[in-house]
């Protein structure tokens, strides 16, 4: 089975702190994603990476950055946390593909609940 | 631009009755459609997907979904709901083609409540 592991399930941080959310996948997937989930808004893509050191902005990248130094690991960074970044953050991964392979399933981690006070 | 709509915030159904969760989509090319389920305080679990072929797709836990191109819909169904099916369900769409590097567009989610 595919396993996407988010190391921190629950975090409480202060406004202005630098926050790291770590994600590791064990299926040698090329693609990795960070989503944010808020009630009534569904999931919104923050950043996406299709290879080591490669990244693409999603729908809501402001206030976030990412790092992918190894294929299996994708980190989300909040440079200066703010209260409006209180949310559930979901990491995901999938095989890369175009055409029919673009239908590759995306697998999600258990989520990280971040509260910024 | 691709988009997906789940018109119902919540669906209530009695255990043993049929369950339907609605989803409509909009893409300019061929759609790749997905259903995910989320239990409280958990991540999303993959249920099923439509890529091509038979319009009726069967997935995990007895769920199925029917792709209807003319109505641009991909409704999730289960013939007999269980209390354990109570969860948040997400529909998602990805547009096929060379530029579709993997971005999924999610609906807002539908809360399913199954009562004993």
């Amino acid at each position: 089975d595919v396993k996407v592991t988010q190391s921190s399930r629950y975090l409480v941080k202060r406004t202005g702190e630098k926050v790291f959310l770590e994600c590791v996948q064990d299926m040698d997937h090329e693609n990795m994603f960070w989503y944010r989930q808020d009630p009534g808004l569904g999931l919104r893509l923050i950043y996406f990476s299709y290879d080591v050191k490669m990244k693409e902005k999603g729908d809501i990248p402001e206030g976030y950055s990412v790092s992918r130094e190894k294929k299996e690991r994708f980190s989300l960074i909040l440079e200066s946390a703010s209260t409006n970044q209180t949310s559930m953050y979901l990491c995901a991964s999938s095989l890369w593909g175009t055409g029919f392979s673009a239908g590759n399933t995306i697998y999600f981690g258990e989520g990280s609940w971040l509260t910024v006070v | 631009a691709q988009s997906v709509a789940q018109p119902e915030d919540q669906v209530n159904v009695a255990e043993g009755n049929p369950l339907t969760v609605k989803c409509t989509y909009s893409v300019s090319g061929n759609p790749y459609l997905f259903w995910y389920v989320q239990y409280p305080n958990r991540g999303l679990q993959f249920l099923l997907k439509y890529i091509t072929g038979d319009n009726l797709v069967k997935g995990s836990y007895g769920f199925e979904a029917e792709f209807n191109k003319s109505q641009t819909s991909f409704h999730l169904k289960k013939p007999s709901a269980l209390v354990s099916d109570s969860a948040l369900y997400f529909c998602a769409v990805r547009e096929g083609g060379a530029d579709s590097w993997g971005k999924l567009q999610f609906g807002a989610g539908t809360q399913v409540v199954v009562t004993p």
Side-chain angles (χ1 to χ4, degrees):
Chain A
D1 280 351
V2 174
K3 191 155 182 69
V4 180
T5 303
Q6 295 181 233
S7 54
S8 301
R9 291 297 316 278
Y10 302 95
L11 305 94
V12 179
K13 298 293 182 181
R14 294 193 179 278
T15 300
E17 275 193 82
K18 190 169 186 176
V19 181
F20 292 87
L21 298 180
E22 306 287 345
C23 175
V24 177
Q25 51 94 4
D26 67 356
M27 285 302 292
D28 202 33
H29 284 170
E30 293 86 1
N31 294 345
M32 294 190 76
F33 308 83
W34 275 106
Y35 284 89
R36 172 176 171 162
Q37 182 181 4
D38 299 289
L41 296 177
L43 276 72
R44 294 177 291 168
L45 182 65
I46 305 172
Y47 266 99
F48 157 73
S49 170
Y50 56 89
D51 201 352
V52 174
K53 297 191 185 296
M54 306 305 291
K55 63 183 179 183
E56 295 281 346
K57 292 180 179 179
D59 297 320
I60 53 165
E62 297 78 19
Y64 303 94
S65 62
V66 290
S67 173
R68 192 158 181 207
E69 297 297 318
K70 293 185 178 181
K71 188 175 185 179
E72 68 271 19
R73 188 178 298 270
F74 193 35
S75 302
L76 180 68
I77 304 158
L78 287 67
E79 294 289 343
S80 178
S82 63
T83 54
N84 62 13
Q85 292 178 310
T86 292
S87 187
M88 181 170 184
Y89 292 87
L90 289 161
C91 177
S93 73
S94 75
L95 290 169
W96 183 85
T98 59
F100 285 143
S101 295
N104 291 328
T105 300
I106 293 181
Y107 296 93
F108 285 82
E110 289 292 288
S112 297
W113 284 98
L114 172 65
T115 301
V116 182
V117 297
Chain B
Q2 56 200 21
S3 66
V4 60
Q6 295 180 242
E8 300 158 316
D9 291 335
Q10 183 164 315
V11 170
N12 298 299
V13 63
E15 188 173 33
N17 283 359
L19 169 64
T20 298
V21 186
K22 296 179 180 178
C23 172
T24 58
Y25 66 89
S26 174
V27 297
S28 56
N30 293 320
Y32 297 154
L33 295 152
F34 301 76
W35 275 104
Y36 287 84
V37 61
Q38 184 179 38
Y39 298 100
N41 300 318
R42 305 294 297 275
L44 273 66
Q45 294 181 30
F46 169 72
L47 280 179
L48 51 80
K49 66 181 177 182
Y50 172 82
I51 305 300
T52 187
D54 194 346
N55 289 344
L56 185 63
V57 180
K58 294 188 183 296
S60 305
Y61 313 122
F63 284 94
E64 59 187 29
E66 185 166 12
F67 171 63
N68 187 318
K69 189 172 183 178
S70 62
Q71 297 185 6
T72 62
S73 67
F74 189 57
H75 300 331
L76 182 70
K77 299 180 181 182
K78 187 171 184 179
S80 178
L82 300 172
V83 172
S84 57
D85 293 328
S86 298
L88 186 58
Y89 290 80
F90 288 98
C91 181
V93 65
R94 174 193 285 158
E95 188 171 340
D99 293 332
S100 61
W101 43 257
K103 178 181 175 180
L104 272 182
Q105 188 73 38
F106 283 85
T110 297
Q111 184 69 47
V112 169
V113 178
V114 183
T115 52

